[in-house]
Amino acid sequence: MSGKTLIVEIGTEELPPKMLYGLAQLFYENIIAELKVFQLVYKKVIWFASPRRLALKVMHLNTYQVDRVIEKRGPKLTEAFDIKGNITEKANTWIHFNKVPISELETLYTTKGEWLICRKIIKGKKTNLLLPEIIEKAIKKISIPKLMRWGENNIKFIRPVHTITILFGDKLIPSILFGVKSKRIIYGHRFMGHSKIKLINADEYPQVLLEKGKVIADYKKRKEIIKNGIELTSCKLGGKIYLNDELLQEVTSLVEWPIILHASFKEEFLNIPNELLIHIMENVQKYFPIYGIKGNLLSNFIFITNIESNDNNDIIIGNEKVLNARLEDAKFFFDHDKKRVLLDNLQLLEKVIFHKKLGSLRDKTKRIQHLSKWIAQKIGANVEYSIRASLLSKCDLITRVVCEFPDMQGIMGMYYAIYNGENRDIAFALSEQYKPSFSKDTIPSSLIGCTLSIADKIDTLVGMFGINEIPKGSRDPLALRRAASGILRIIIEKKLPLSLEDLVQEAVSIYKDKLIIKDIINNILNFMFKRLEKFYIDFDINIFKAVLSVRPLYPADFDLRMQALSYFLSLKESNKLIVINKRVSNFLIKSNHTVCHVINISLLKQKEEIELLNNISNLTIKLQPYFSKGLYTEALIELTTLSSIIDKFFDKVQINTFDENIHINRLTLLSKIRSLFLQIADISLLK
């Protein structure tokens, strides 16, 4: 493929490390979309990202746009020429408006007639003239919640922009973006290599940056170097690494020239809870903990530095000092907290506001206690332990460790509870009360943990909906969508016999007159059903609509119906039954008559309707145990036996008869068919 290489680099101040990968992906996707819009042909696009740059390289980009043919249809031939073959006024108006020479007019032949048509060839523009607009559009579509403004102008971006480099082959593309003129200068590492590098040709990138600037611009390559270095170092130390990909990605976004080093901390700190140690190393210091062969935490760690040094010892000692100081503080806080019984913190929760309209954390604890008792009874969890766990659930929020490290809430509650001699099942439930806290997080493993988690989340949901503090657009500061998804995941994955309506009603009843919004129960149920739809993203949307139409209020039951319908669509009889259900549904919708509850047997005149009634009656009795046990797949298989019988009925029996009583009786028969299927889903909505 012919063409030239395009390189675009935006040089900035340090970009947010947790956002760098996503920003690079957005830039990459946006540029591909714009190249498509502008009809520019290329071989492939490669993206680069480091702490101080976002860059794209387009390989074999054509130097011209593809020529486009524009077709404009005019009037019909019968309207374009009169009976003498002269051009009509209507055709003349169209010709003059489109500035088309009569000699270039053509005829378009279609099955619906013949029309005048003109075709114009729009020559493609030079690529280098289009690039500034393409790049500007791609950059402006990088949308994030918070943008920065710098200098005296109104220009905004993720971080202040210092350099713009756009080269097409060896030609600099003049452009001004973010108030910065495009130049050939790109910047190397802050402390190593060449500070400024003049880019002669786009093909040199990123190799020239690597060789002269000591910057590995290739994000994936940098990540692989770090990953391999960590694994090799841990092996040399006689340990192993459980790679946290989120941390690996963040560290990759923090360095341009990764150097892998290892150090150690005082062994006495291994007596601190492992979760706290790991949190400090990974989340606070961005270090990688090392584990022994048996999975025990070692007093060694690996860290990544961004600079080469003739003597790494000073760097190692410096990092050891920082970590040991952090762990010394953590140990002090932990020892201090253990001096106080966890339950003694309960009275202090009166002074901590959960929400000014919903009371204190002590008030929330009381509501969680009530809900935990109710939920535990429904799902078969230990009621006594569930009530005790809910009583202790928020007591660790005012401990020194959790105040310093908020992510340790629940986990530290477990350790303090064990230290105080609480039952281990109760203590373990404290550590699980916030699960799942993100989309890929695990759900609570114990029923007490499930009880506590659901109680906490539904209380928050009902409270916030009740005072009209609900998610709007993409904003969800209180993570109510996550709370709803967490409740649904727990119920479905654990197959818990919980009704959403009963659960919401119970939570609403506790608040009494504090909630100001009417129809709150229905609002929350609708909100949760919208979250439920996200669970079935891999399913045909019509399956979800078919199940939702009958509004099963038990999420575990909803899931069984979804699985059953998915299997049903694989059966050869499914299509025929869907068509039959659509036909039945249409008859009932279009009818102005009200169907009866009972079939009048004396009005059955034809053998086909008698046979259909007999089969419906038999299936109604046979399928009741299936429906009560949630055996929807088996029920649908049984219902496929009606296919040929209903076909005969429609072939031989006339629904719309002049005898109104017979007509209503036959509509009632159709309603019985529909009722059977509606005990699972409305399959007439399937396509």
Side-chain angles (χ1 to χ4, degrees):
M1 183 183 280
S2 60
K4 297 179 182 178
T5 301
L6 168 69
I7 190 71
V8 183
E9 188 195 81
I10 306 167
T12 67
E13 290 185 13
E14 270 75 4
L15 293 161
K18 289 186 177 180
M19 296 174 64
L20 183 63
Y21 180 85
L23 292 171
Q25 287 295 304
L26 282 173
F27 193 20
Y28 168 77
E29 289 163 7
N30 292 349
I31 207 78
I32 287 175
E34 293 303 323
L35 290 172
K36 185 177 180 181
V37 168
F38 281 82
Q39 295 186 307
L40 288 170
V41 179
Y42 60 92
K43 186 177 180 181
K44 67 175 178 177
V45 179
I46 306 167
W47 63 272
F48 305 93
S50 77
R52 297 189 298 140
R53 76 198 76 234
L54 292 172
L56 293 168
K57 189 174 186 177
V58 185
M59 311 294 292
H60 299 291
L61 178 62
N62 275 8
T63 53
Y64 281 86
Q65 268 182 317
V66 175
D67 292 345
R68 292 173 291 155
V69 177
I70 295 177
E71 291 187 352
K72 292 192 176 181
R73 185 186 292 194
K76 280 187 173 182
L77 284 187
T78 54
E79 298 171 349
F81 299 95
D82 60 22
I83 54 175
K84 294 180 181 180
N86 298 318
I87 295 177
T88 62
E89 187 179 343
K90 184 176 182 179
N92 257 323
T93 303
W94 178 77
I95 289 167
H96 288 303
F97 180 79
N98 289 286
K99 299 176 182 178
V100 183
I102 294 175
S103 59
E104 292 182 12
L105 289 174
E106 299 178 42
T107 304
L108 175 66
Y109 299 94
T110 74
T111 56
K112 294 183 179 180
E114 301 168 351
W115 278 267
L116 278 183
I117 191 171
C118 69
R119 291 184 174 90
K120 289 184 179 180
I121 297 176
I122 308 297
K123 295 292 289 182
K125 294 181 181 179
K126 284 187 175 181
T127 299
N128 61 328
L129 299 176
L130 301 170
L131 286 173
E133 184 182 357
I134 290 170
I135 294 162
E136 185 174 8
K137 284 186 173 182
I139 292 170
K140 283 184 176 179
K141 287 179 181 175
I142 300 175
S143 58
I144 62 166
K146 291 184 180 179
L147 295 171
M148 285 186 69
R149 189 161 63 88
W150 64 95
E152 296 179 357
N153 50 49
N154 248 345
I155 295 168
K156 292 181 180 181
F157 195 54
I158 301 103
R159 289 292 183 270
V161 175
H162 296 307
T163 62
I164 297 289
T165 303
I166 308 172
L167 257 65
F168 189 37
D170 59 356
K171 302 293 182 184
L172 178 71
I173 303 298
S175 180
I176 298 177
L177 293 170
F178 305 108
V180 179
K181 286 184 179 180
S182 174
K183 295 181 180 179
R184 291 181 180 271
I185 300 299
I186 58 175
Y187 283 82
H189 197 284
R190 279 196 187 277
F191 309 110
M192 302 188 298
H194 295 268
S195 175
K196 295 182 180 180
I197 302 163
K198 188 175 183 179
L199 199 59
I200 306 301
N201 193 295
D203 289 313
E204 295 179 332
Y205 198 95
Q207 195 61 29
V208 68
L209 198 54
L210 178 70
E211 293 172 356
K212 293 184 178 181
K214 290 286 187 179
V215 172
I216 302 170
D218 189 327
Y219 185 96
K220 294 175 184 174
K221 184 178 178 182
R222 216 164 57 244
K223 185 178 179 181
E224 193 62 24
I225 288 170
I226 295 171
K227 179 177 178 291
N228 292 338
I230 288 169
E231 289 173 345
L232 183 63
T233 303
S234 65
C235 283
K236 286 180 179 178
L237 293 170
K240 58 183 177 180
I241 289 284
Y242 297 116
L243 264 182
N244 178 335
D245 194 65
E246 192 177 319
L247 174 61
L248 178 60
Q249 193 158 290
E250 188 176 353
V251 170
T252 303
S253 302
L254 282 166
V255 297
E256 293 183 318
W257 191 262
I259 303 296
I260 291 88
L261 299 173
H262 65 88
S264 60
F265 57 85
K266 295 176 183 177
E267 287 193 11
E268 66 186 81
F269 295 132
L270 289 172
N271 294 322
I272 297 173
N274 274 8
E275 292 89 343
L276 180 55
L277 267 174
I278 293 165
H279 174 77
I280 292 170
M281 282 192 275
E282 289 187 344
N283 297 81
V284 180
Q285 294 302 121
K286 314 304 175 190
Y287 296 159
F288 294 88
I290 302 177
Y291 300 83
I293 302 302
K294 295 181 179 179
N296 55 306
L297 199 62
L298 302 181
S299 59
N300 304 99
F301 63 93
I302 296 170
F303 65 98
I304 315 299
T305 182
N306 192 35
I307 191 169
E308 286 181 348
S309 173
N310 293 327
D311 184 8
N312 289 326
N313 199 45
D314 286 344
I315 298 174
I316 292 169
I317 291 171
N319 278 271
E320 286 180 340
K321 281 183 178 178
V322 171
L323 182 58
N324 278 313
R326 291 268 188 190
L327 297 180
E328 187 68 53
D329 289 344
K331 183 178 183 301
F332 173 79
F333 295 146
F334 182 56
D335 290 341
H336 177 274
D337 289 336
K338 287 193 297 183
K339 293 175 182 177
R340 186 181 182 90
V341 176
L342 185 62
L343 189 59
D344 289 348
N345 291 337
L346 189 63
Q347 59 186 356
L348 301 177
L349 295 180
E350 293 279 7
K351 299 177 182 178
V352 183
I353 299 299
F354 167 60
H355 191 284
K356 60 183 179 181
K357 294 181 181 179
L358 301 174
S360 66
L361 278 178
R362 180 69 184 100
D363 295 325
K364 183 173 177 65
T365 301
K366 290 174 184 175
R367 294 193 298 269
I368 292 173
Q369 271 188 283
H370 178 105
L371 284 166
S372 291
K373 179 181 178 181
W374 184 87
I375 294 167
Q377 289 170 339
K378 293 286 184 182
I379 69 173
N382 186 304
V383 176
E384 182 188 344
Y385 287 0
S386 296
I387 294 170
R388 181 67 178 179
S390 59
L391 185 69
L392 298 170
S393 61
K394 306 304 172 190
C395 289
D396 69 335
L397 294 180
I398 53 176
T399 60
R400 296 288 294 272
V401 170
V402 174
C403 286
E404 184 71 17
F405 306 106
D407 287 348
M408 288 292 99
Q409 60 183 353
I411 293 168
M412 295 314 300
M414 174 187 72
Y415 279 101
Y416 298 138
I418 291 171
Y419 185 76
N420 294 158
E422 294 284 348
N423 180 281
R424 285 189 172 268
D425 290 340
I426 294 171
F428 185 63
L430 300 182
S431 71
E432 295 193 310
Q433 64 180 297
Y434 300 106
K435 288 178 173 284
S437 58
F438 52 91
S439 60
K440 294 182 180 178
D441 194 12
T442 57
I443 64 169
S445 58
S446 69
L447 282 180
I448 302 171
C450 291
T451 297
L452 194 53
S453 178
I454 294 171
D456 186 17
K457 290 173 173 60
I458 197 63
D459 174 70
T460 300
L461 260 177
V462 166
M464 294 307 166
F465 265 78
I467 57 173
N468 203 29
E469 292 199 14
I470 60 177
K472 293 176 182 177
S474 60
R475 291 187 70 255
D476 187 10
L478 299 167
L480 300 185
R481 292 188 183 102
R482 191 168 65 197
S485 296
I487 292 168
L488 293 167
R489 267 194 66 197
I490 293 169
I491 295 174
I492 291 171
E493 291 181 29
K494 283 287 188 179
K495 298 180 173 58
L496 302 178
L498 269 183
S499 160
L500 290 182
E501 187 172 38
D502 293 346
L503 179 63
V504 175
Q505 280 179 339
E506 191 64 31
V508 168
S509 70
I510 307 169
Y511 276 100
K512 297 178 181 176
D513 57 348
K514 283 189 177 181
L515 307 182
I516 59 173
I517 302 302
K518 295 179 180 179
D519 206 20
I520 181 176
I521 293 172
N522 202 44
N523 290 343
I524 295 174
L525 289 177
N526 289 335
F527 178 75
M528 296 195 80
F529 278 124
K530 283 182 182 177
R531 302 315 304 162
L532 190 58
E533 186 178 340
K534 306 294 181 186
F535 278 63
Y536 301 104
I537 197 77
D538 295 330
F539 284 70
D540 183 333
I541 185 62
N542 292 308
I543 296 178
F544 182 81
K545 288 178 180 178
V547 176
L548 183 62
S549 67
V550 298
R551 210 169 171 83
L553 292 168
Y554 287 78
D557 183 60
F558 196 108
D559 187 65
L560 290 173
R561 294 168 193 254
M562 288 292 297
Q563 304 299 336
L565 275 198
S566 182
Y567 174 77
F568 171 70
L569 285 178
S570 69
L571 302 176
K572 61 181 181 180
E573 298 91 350
S574 65
N575 192 53
K576 187 180 286 186
L577 277 171
I578 291 167
V579 172
I580 287 170
N581 269 268
K582 287 180 187 290
R583 192 172 178 184
V584 169
S585 180
N586 288 335
F587 266 116
L588 295 170
I589 290 168
K590 291 176 181 178
S591 173
N592 294 321
H593 295 87
T594 303
V595 298
C596 300
H597 293 293
V598 180
I599 301 287
N600 188 336
I601 297 174
S602 66
L603 293 175
L604 299 177
K605 302 299 182 183
Q606 295 178 230
K607 64 176 183 179
E608 288 80 12
E609 54 185 333
I610 295 169
E611 184 184 5
L612 180 56
L613 175 61
N614 289 335
N615 277 273
I616 290 172
S617 300
N618 291 335
L619 274 175
T620 301
I621 296 167
K622 185 176 183 179
L623 293 181
Q624 283 314 306
Y626 288 68
F627 295 141
S628 61
K629 293 177 182 177
L631 301 173
Y632 300 116
T633 302
E634 292 80 353
L636 282 167
I637 292 170
E638 289 289 344
L639 284 168
T640 59
T641 60
L642 283 176
S643 179
S644 59
I645 298 161
I646 298 172
D647 270 347
K648 287 180 190 177
F649 174 81
F650 278 128
D651 286 343
K652 301 292 183 180
V653 179
Q654 186 177 347
I655 308 296
N656 298 321
T657 65
F658 291 109
D659 188 320
E660 187 175 317
N661 290 327
I662 292 175
H663 174 57
I664 293 173
N665 204 50
R666 286 173 180 171
L667 286 175
T668 303
L669 192 54
L670 293 182
S671 73
K672 298 296 181 185
I673 297 171
R674 185 157 170 75
S675 294
L676 268 178
F677 282 94
L678 286 178
Q679 292 198 59
I680 303 170
D682 184 356
I683 72 168
S684 69
L685 297 175
L686 298 174
K687 292 179 182 177

